[in-house]
């Protein structure tokens, strides 16, 4: 089972979120700031790790030192480690099912116990980072703006016909989980389809686009179809969880897109 996350790139307004240390009592702010760590690659990119404490929920942010976007955590951050979903970088040596999460598509920022060294791991690539001194980190954080995650959609279903045409269905995350998008085309050349209507019930979903109707069923033992002018093209279901690197690196939907993670600039 893979963590269910996906991405759509969209501009985010500055100050869309409160700073990670909150807007409450000065004591709370000071305690959270003291435990927050900032690492940089020395090229103008910064990662902020807010550990899980009694004063704050653990959070992870990435940005240019002036503005940051949230990077959804895989689990609670510690003072020395934060894991995040990164499907573009694959680590074949990681556990494919650790507590229901496929860690082969999980990357990590890790600090030493004394916070004097920092390493960014993107898949199987380990990249040294430079921790900021506490006072410099505090100054940077107080002047920065924070925005929500760039993650707006997640891969919901992937299908393929016998000619190599792919059909990717994405579903909105969180409050937008009733929103869907469809991309179709050959590998590396998939294009978005204009959505006309969505029908969803206990029997499955029907997505109507200008290019045809895609019928998906909840019971994966039954076939899906792409229907154009009453002509049915049978489709084969391709497991999303087993093909995340393919979806993000080869299908074409995310080519050149920033995902808002510390691995964007690797």
């Amino acid at each position: 089972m893979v963590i269910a996350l996906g991405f759509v790139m969209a501009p985010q307004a500055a100050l869309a979120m409160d700073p990670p240390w909150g807007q409450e009592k000065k004591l709370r702010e000071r305690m959270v700031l003291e435990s927050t760590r900032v690492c940089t690659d020395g090229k103008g990119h910064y990662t902020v790790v807010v550990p899980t404490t009694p004063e704050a929920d653990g959070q992870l942010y990435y940005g240019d030192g002036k503005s940051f976007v949230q990077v959804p955590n895989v689990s609670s951050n510690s003072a020395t480690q934060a894991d995040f979903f990164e499907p573009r970088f694959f680590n074949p040596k990681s556990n494919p099912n650790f507590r229901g999460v496929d860690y082969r598509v999980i990357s990590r920022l890790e600090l030493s116990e004394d916070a004097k060294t920092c390493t960014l791991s993107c898949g199987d690539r380990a990249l040294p980072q430079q921790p900021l001194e506490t006072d410099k980190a505090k100054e940077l954080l107080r002047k920065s703006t924070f925005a929500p995650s760039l993650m707006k959609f997640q891969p919901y279903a992937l299908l393929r016909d016998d000619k190599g045409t792919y059909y990717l269905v994405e579903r909105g995350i969180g409050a937008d989980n009733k929103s869907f998008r469809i991309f179709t085309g050959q590998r590396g050349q998939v294009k978005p389809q204009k959505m006309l209507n969505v029908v969803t019930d206990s029997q499955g979903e029907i997505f109507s686009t200008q290019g045809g109707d895609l019928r998906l069923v909840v019971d994966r033992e039954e076939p899906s179809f792409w229907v154009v002018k009453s002509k049915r093209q049978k489709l084969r279901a391709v497991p999303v969880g087993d093909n995340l690197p393919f979806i993000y690196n080869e299908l074409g939907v995310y080519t050149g897109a920033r995902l808002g993670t510390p691995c964007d600039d690797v």
Side-chain angles (χ1 to χ4, degrees):
M1 179 179 179
V2 146
I3 182 171
L5 289 176
F7 307 81
V8 152
M9 307 317 124
Q12 302 294 328
L15 290 175
M17 297 178 66
D18 287 337
W21 48 87
Q23 295 285 353
E24 300 181 6
K25 297 180 181 179
K26 290 187 178 295
L27 176 60
R28 172 187 171 95
E29 177 180 324
R30 181 180 67 79
M31 292 178 70
V32 176
L33 275 175
E34 288 290 346
S35 61
T36 297
R37 299 289 179 258
V38 180
C39 294
T40 178
D41 62 0
K43 301 177 182 179
H45 310 119
Y46 298 82
T47 305
V48 177
V49 181
V50 184
T52 300
T53 68
E55 291 77 34
D57 293 331
Q59 297 179 44
L60 184 66
Y61 291 87
Y62 181 67
D64 61 4
K66 297 179 180 179
S67 60
F68 289 85
V69 294
Q70 187 175 13
V71 184
N73 296 18
V74 173
S75 57
S76 297
N77 294 342
S78 69
T80 60
Q81 181 176 313
D83 296 341
F84 57 94
F85 178 69
E86 182 42 271
R88 297 170 299 182
F89 293 83
F90 187 78
N91 188 352
K93 296 181 180 179
S94 293
N95 193 332
N97 187 0
F98 179 72
R99 297 178 180 175
V101 176
D102 186 348
Y103 266 77
R104 295 176 301 177
V105 291
I106 301 301
S107 291
R108 173 177 299 167
L109 186 76
E110 191 168 11
L111 292 94
S112 60
E113 290 293 338
D114 58 9
K116 292 184 178 180
T117 63
C118 184
T119 302
L120 172 64
S121 296
C122 295
D124 58 1
R125 299 179 61 182
L127 307 162
Q129 306 280 289
Q130 305 164 17
L132 290 190
E133 296 177 0
T134 301
D135 290 343
K136 291 182 179 180
K138 289 180 183 179
E139 181 180 0
L140 179 143
L141 293 171
R142 287 194 177 104
K143 295 180 179 179
S144 298
T145 61
F146 295 82
S149 169
L150 297 182
M151 303 175 190
K152 301 300 178 185
F153 283 79
Q154 61 187 5
Y156 178 66
L158 179 63
L159 305 108
R160 175 178 55 79
D161 65 19
D162 57 7
K163 296 181 180 179
T165 298
Y166 286 90
Y167 301 78
L168 175 67
V169 181
E170 290 187 324
R171 185 174 188 171
I173 295 174
D176 296 324
N177 65 359
K178 293 184 179 180
S179 298
F180 293 90
R181 292 159 37 104
I182 289 181
F183 299 81
T184 67
Q186 298 284 314
R187 186 172 86 174
Q189 302 176 23
V190 295
K191 303 296 181 183
Q193 298 292 313
K194 184 175 181 180
M195 298 292 294
L196 300 179
N197 189 35
V198 177
V199 176
T200 178
D201 55 31
S202 61
Q203 298 302 307
E205 296 85 21
I206 300 174
F207 304 98
S208 298
T209 72
Q210 284 189 333
D213 291 339
L214 176 63
R215 177 176 176 265
L216 299 178
V217 292
V218 173
D219 185 350
R220 296 303 181 183
E221 294 180 0
E222 296 186 32
S224 297
F225 295 94
W226 181 250
V227 183
V228 178
K229 296 181 179 180
S230 300
K231 183 179 180 181
R232 289 188 172 191
Q233 170 66 54
K234 187 176 179 180
L235 304 178
R236 179 186 297 274
V238 181
V240 169
D242 295 336
N243 290 276
L244 286 170
F246 170 76
I247 292 172
Y248 283 91
N249 292 324
E250 301 182 45
L251 203 55
V253 177
Y254 306 100
T255 302
R258 295 180 65 83
L259 306 185
T261 82
C263 298
D264 269 351
D265 298 293
V266 171

